[in-house]
Amino acid sequence: MSKKHPVVVVTGSSGAGTTTVKRAFEHIFTREGIKAAIVEGDSFHRYDRAEMKVKMAEEHLSHFGPEANRFDKIEELFKVYGETGRGEKRYYLHSQEEADEHNARLGCDKKPGEFTPWEEIPEGTDLLFYEGLHGMVVTDENNVAGQVDLGIGVVPVVNLEWIQKIHRDAKERGYSAEATVETIMRRMPDYINHITPQFSRTDINFQRVATVDTSNPFIARDIPTPDESFVVIRFADPEKFDTDFPYLLNMIPDSFMSRRNTIVVPGGKMGFAMEIILGPIIDKMMHERG
């Protein structure tokens, strides 16, 4: 962990809402003039798309487990960046558009589903920002969480997470509900062992809870909207960041305290709440860099 070169992590499974948090941080970085080294969790997968399809079929691997990821490279990057402000990163190419962009920049010929070559993080960044599956993971071999200065967890209640995944996979990838359920079942041991425990190590968790019936996520016709949900925000140690709950309650309409370290806000205010909460924390980190 480093005050001079902070490592900020947003961790959560795909479809959990990490994109909303990433957008909130981008607004903070732009507003405060912060130059962040952006690192994507997908870039630390062990296998490219074609290789992973084979591994899933033959060895039943999932993207959630250590066999399919380079936890050692995440830990190494966080440690080296914290000490020097440098390190290596790469990109996982999700689309042809991303492939075209990075091929032109790097002079390579990579296809969607492949990785770009490892490259040095540019000098002069203010902090490292990671968003992905395993930012707070700990195993017998690797302690990624031990290198993190600020850990944010984003996790809907599990039925809501499954609804989001089923609908997203159908819309964006053309998967049947049956195929997505098979994926959920294959991932479950890794989800329990390597995803869920991370949320006990984070500094702040944002958990979306639906206010409509999600009892059977496998037959839900649509995803509950933000206005049909609340966000439960839990601070592991409110004193660590001098959390001012009366201020937050005053700033966020219709919010309330459910425990001494937990505030609940309307689902539609999630992005706003993130900026109100995280902005002062990032600002304090920048002032403490020295």
Side-chain angles (χ1 to χ4, degrees), residues 19-219:
T19 301
T20 303
V21 189
K22 184 177 180 181
R23 190 176 301 118
F25 271 108
E26 287 172 347
H27 291 165
I28 294 168
F29 296 156
T30 300
R31 187 166 60 245
E32 302 297 329
I34 295 169
K35 184 178 180 182
I38 308 294
V39 176
E40 299 172 354
D42 288 354
S43 65
F44 293 94
H45 289 330
R46 190 178 299 274
Y47 305 108
D48 66 23
R49 187 178 296 165
E51 293 170 335
M52 190 60 184
K53 284 184 178 180
V54 174
K55 292 292 182 180
M56 286 190 295
E58 294 181 350
E59 302 177 27
H60 306 290
L61 295 191
S62 85
H63 282 110
F64 288 170
E67 295 84 0
N69 293 280
R70 295 295 307 272
F71 294 167
D72 58 328
K73 293 290 286 185
I74 307 176
E75 182 181 18
E76 176 188 0
L77 172 61
F78 290 2
K79 185 175 187 297
V80 171
Y81 187 88
E83 294 171 351
T84 68
R86 303 300 300 274
E88 285 190 331
K89 69 173 184 175
R90 66 178 178 180
Y91 294 91
Y92 176 82
L93 303 173
H94 296 88
S95 64
Q96 187 61 53
E97 183 181 6
E98 288 185 5
D100 291 341
E101 175 189 346
H102 291 292
N103 284 337
R105 184 176 63 85
L106 297 170
C108 55
D109 186 24
K110 297 294 182 179
K111 300 178 179 62
E114 297 180 344
F115 300 102
T116 64
W118 291 101
E119 58 184 295
E120 281 286 327
I121 289 174
E123 291 187 31
T125 57
D126 298 310
L127 57 78
L128 184 147
F129 178 79
Y130 167 100
E131 181 259 319
L133 290 171
H134 298 111
M136 299 296 290
V137 77
V138 174
T139 67
D140 291 341
E141 293 78 26
N142 303 109
N143 184 357
V144 175
Q147 308 298 327
V148 173
D149 296 281
L150 173 63
I152 306 296
V154 187
V155 53
V157 291
V158 69
N159 279 15
L160 178 55
E161 182 172 350
W162 289 347
I163 291 171
Q164 290 181 159
K165 178 167 179 56
I166 290 168
H167 283 262
R168 188 200 64 175
D169 283 0
K171 181 179 180 180
E172 297 180 8
R173 302 176 183 178
Y175 293 175
S176 67
E178 291 77 12
T180 301
V181 171
E182 192 278 330
T183 298
I184 290 171
M185 293 176 65
R186 186 182 71 251
R187 289 177 169 183
M188 188 54 61
D190 285 332
Y191 184 90
I192 292 169
N193 291 319
H194 301 291
I195 301 298
T196 303
Q198 295 183 91
F199 303 115
S200 295
R201 306 181 190 116
T202 46
D203 294 298
I204 307 172
N205 283 336
F206 293 84
Q207 183 177 46
R208 192 155 78 93
V209 180
T211 56
V212 295
D213 185 12
T214 60
S215 303
N216 186 347
F218 307 112
I219 64 168

Side-chain angles (χ1 to χ4, degrees), residues 235 237-252 255 257 260 263 276-277 280-281:
F235 297 77
D237 180 8
E239 287 74 29
K240 180 177 179 179
F241 301 112
D242 300 322
T243 306
D244 186 342
F245 287 113
Y247 169 76
L248 296 177
L249 292 171
N250 184 59
M251 289 295 295
I252 306 170
S255 60
M257 300 283 295
R260 61 166 293 277
I263 185 171
I276 292 291
I277 292 167
I281 295 174

